[in-house]
Amino acid sequence: MPELRKDLVTREWVILAKERAKRPCDFLAKGPRSQAQPVPEQDPKCPFCPGNEALTPPEILAYRPDHSLPNAPGWQVRVVSNKFAALDHRGEPTRSEVGIYDVMEGVGAHEVVIESPEHHLSLGQMESSQVEKVIRAYMERYDALRKDPRLRYILIFQNHGEVAGSSLTHSHSQIVATPVIPQKVWAKIKGVEQYREYREKCPYCDILEYELAARERTICENDSFAAYAPYASRSPFEARIIPRSHQPCFITMGPKEVREFAEILREVLGRLYVSLQDPPYNFTLLNIPCSPNRVYDFHWHLEITPRLTTPAGFEMGTSIYINVTPPEDAARYLREASCPSPSG
Amino acid sequence: MPELRKDLVTREWVILAKERAKRPCDFLAKGPRSQAQPVPEQDPKCPFCPGNEALTPPEILAYRPDHSLPNAPGWQVRVVSNKFAALDHRGEPTRSEVGIYDVMEGVGAHEVVIESPEHHLSLGQMESSQVEKVIRAYMERYDALRKDPRLRYILIFQNHGEVAGSSLTHSHSQIVATPVIPQKVWAKIKGVEQYREYREKCPYCDILEYELAARERTICENDSFAAYAPYASRSPFEARIIPRSHQPCFITMGPKEVREFAEILREVLGRLYVSLQDPPYNFTLLNIPCSPNRVYDFHWHLEITPRLTTPAGFEMGTSIYINVTPPEDAARYLREASCPSPSG
């Protein structure tokens, strides 16, 4: 019998179709991904490779030796505006009406974080110290953008692999800041608020406590963070990384937490890389909205969604996902997987 | 400057990235789909082709001549249980708790509507009279399922093409009935309710009136229905078919409406087929929840979503979609496209 599981925060149900269950190796059926065509260490045509800095908009931020020139090789992490930005950083987010509809100028930010000078390494294969630099760049850009009074929400995310919507191989993540608070973010904020009203606790704190005691869905952990497969996982091998301490935004991390966040992110992505042979995935880093006037409660976290199945009409019409891999199986598989030693 | 447009019912924003705008022919870049490999009229291996009835579970409903035997050739439309059902029609939807989580037995229905005995025809290429039979089968099965007190919502949908999640070429749609009301359905019901409280009108009636006057986003229409590209379209060439009269459920259609619904559905899908060369798409038929105890207000409609772009991390984290084709352009293109003459 299949099972319906409810997400504690969003209240979305998920159908866990055990009868359709697949083993991890079934997801490899289409053949190994990364091994199919070895990726070179540098690609002369890649706009994110050192030497091609002129192919991107000028850098907004870069970690590079003191003596090196901006927009020239030598950098370790580089942040630039997205050449095909979905939102424009100029102008005011003026709202107006078009007949019965609401419309707003598409003001915001759309930046690209080039995570490493090395063309062939994904985040799960890099040295932890390199991932730490990426996290520092996220924090620095987040901090700058949240001070812009036109912006209401900042999402940091990564698309890895073509199936996951990435058009460039060279590992990069993106930062988009919007002049509105997205409905999906509202739903989570409201979920936290209502759970707290009812149980006088944060649902994420509750989940963390429960998962660390149950040990059925945990993947790995360290002093400051835990990674687990959510009870109502929408897709096979979904994983969540969450800080042990209740904080609404990742920006408050201290040096130890930054290091440990980098370590656990690298570890979870590395285990996915090895055990599912470099699957396509998206990750999203979820924080509170930016708001000078109102304080929201939230427990920040990062969600990793491998793209191993195709959401279709049923998911579109209901937002109920059909998941063929129990998160308990996924977590066990990832726990038992080896983590690649960094090739950086 | 990009534009943010707000959906009147769900309040979800959409980013219309005009600077990234694509012309319709850009979506054909990957090469024509249907022409690439001509589909045969019959496929001896296809479980949905006449003669292969034994390869599916026994039929629940079939339109066939009086003298013909069940589960044998001769049918025009055939409904069977999904062989790999996501929900089980047996048992009770018992709810229980697993630690802090909610879980429910996966009780429901999962049926497949085989739309035609002909292997190679998609809904947009069939005779209207054949599409009408498909709609009648939807209505008959919907009516049977809504009487089952265990079920709360019934979604009828179609996945067309591999990219849209379809694993079989032979044209078919699916019916899934769930023992819960999906959150996404709640959001629309609530959107209608709140709009009505504020403006004393149904938002869909308002939209219909506005679109039929503005004529910027209309695709085609007949006595009972109109088809248009929604103002806040989430993806290129999104289309909505909606009855002119305010009805919460498609089940109340009279014979003329059924005929005209078949005609307009065939026409919109046919125009998509011709102008975008058989694009992958999903459609969902959205009605009120099944509820013996409570009356909901809704204005039923059908949504068609071509799968021409890949939603990625940004859409996952925010549910704000980035759309590169203004619905005004999409509607004009579809209006000007020819509609294929039926090849049935």
Side-chain angles (χ1 to χ4, degrees), chain A residues 270-292:
Chain A
R271 284 172 188 264
L272 279 171
Y273 180 89
V274 168
S275 59
L276 295 169
Q277 299 180 2
D278 195 16
Y281 67 81
N282 304 100
F283 76 62
T284 53
L285 178 56
L286 301 167
N287 293 293
I288 38 157
C290 317
S291 154

Side-chain angles (χ1 to χ4, degrees), chain A residues 1-4 6 20 84 86 101-106 159 164 182 184 211 231 282 284 307 311-313 316 318, chain B residues 1-4 6 20 84 86 101-106 159 164 182 184 211 231 282 284 307 311-313 316 318:
Chain A
M1 170 83 61
E3 211 174 78
L4 280 136
K6 191 176 186 173
R20 294 175 139 192
F84 309 97
Y101 302 116
D102 283 340
V103 64
M104 195 182 226
E105 295 286 332
N159 303 332
K184 188 157 182 179
E211 293 301 338
Y231 177 73
N282 304 100
T284 53
R307 297 284 286 263
M316 273 183 196
T318 61
Chain B
M1 170 83 63
E3 211 175 80
L4 279 135
K6 190 177 186 172
R20 294 174 141 192
F84 308 98
Y101 302 116
D102 282 340
V103 64
M104 196 183 226
E105 295 285 333
N159 303 332
K184 188 158 182 180
E211 293 300 338
Y231 177 73
N282 305 99
T284 53
R307 298 281 288 260
M316 273 184 196
T318 61

Side-chain angles (χ1 to χ4, degrees), chain B residues 24-255:
Chain B
C25 59
D26 294 331
F27 293 116
L28 310 177
K30 289 167 197 164
R33 291 171 192 91
S34 58
Q35 283 85 336
Q37 236 180 336
V39 180
E41 287 185 33
Q42 299 295 326
D43 177 350
K45 285 184 200 151
C46 169
F48 296 165
C49 271
N52 293 343
E53 287 77 6
L55 299 180
T56 68
E59 63 197 38
I60 299 169
L61 170 71
Y63 297 150
R64 49 167 71 251
D66 286 343
H67 59 273
S68 74
L69 292 170
N71 302 307
W75 50 271
Q76 292 145 340
V77 174
R78 191 166 179 257
V79 183
V80 299
S81 285
N82 191 310
K83 204 169 179 174
F84 308 98
L87 293 167
D88 199 312
H89 63 278
R90 296 158 302 184
E92 284 301 314
T94 319
R95 274 174 99 129
S96 50
E97 277 165 33
V98 175
I100 55 174
Y101 302 116
D102 282 340
V103 64
M104 196 183 226
E105 295 285 333
V107 169
H110 192 168
E111 303 179 356
V112 176
V113 181
I114 307 166
E115 297 161 356
S116 153
E118 294 187 80
H119 183 76
H120 64 306
L121 293 185
S122 68
L123 218 46
Q125 295 168 284
M126 294 176 197
E127 298 271 7
S128 276
S129 58
Q130 182 66 25
V131 180
E132 200 179 324
K133 290 189 188 92
V134 174
I135 309 288
R136 292 209 171 277
Y138 290 170
M139 290 170 80
E140 209 171 317
R141 289 308 304 150
Y142 189 98
D143 196 43
L145 290 168
R146 72 173 173 157
K147 287 169 186 154
D148 185 332
R150 302 170 305 166
L151 306 177
R152 289 282 166 271
Y153 194 71
I154 302 165
L155 184 77
I156 297 167
F157 63 97
Q158 188 184 62
N159 303 332
H160 178 79
E162 205 181 328
V163 169
S166 176
S167 49
L168 289 165
T169 305
H170 196 126
S171 196
H172 63 285
S173 23
Q174 299 182 61
I175 305 176
V176 176
T178 56
V180 294
I181 300 178
Q183 282 292 317
K184 188 158 182 180
V185 173
W186 272 127
K188 282 205 165 193
I189 299 281
K190 215 180 283 178
V192 170
E193 190 178 283
Q194 290 172 338
Y195 191 94
R196 196 183 273 285
E197 275 174 18
Y198 195 69
R199 301 206 180 173
E200 298 180 2
K201 280 183 289 186
C202 160
Y204 292 106
C205 289
D206 252 16
I207 291 170
L208 197 56
E209 193 188 322
Y210 183 81
E211 293 300 338
L212 289 174
R215 299 251 152 239
E216 262 193 303
R217 284 172 290 271
T218 42
I219 299 165
C220 55
E221 62 188 290
N222 57 33
D223 265 11
S224 312
F225 294 89
Y228 64 93
Y231 177 73
S233 287
R234 292 179 142 207
S235 51
F237 295 89
E238 197 179 305
R240 186 176 288 160
I241 297 174
I242 193 157
R244 289 179 195 259
S245 74
H246 181 87
Q247 294 291 341
C249 185
F250 86 126
I251 200 97
T252 53
M253 280 193 288

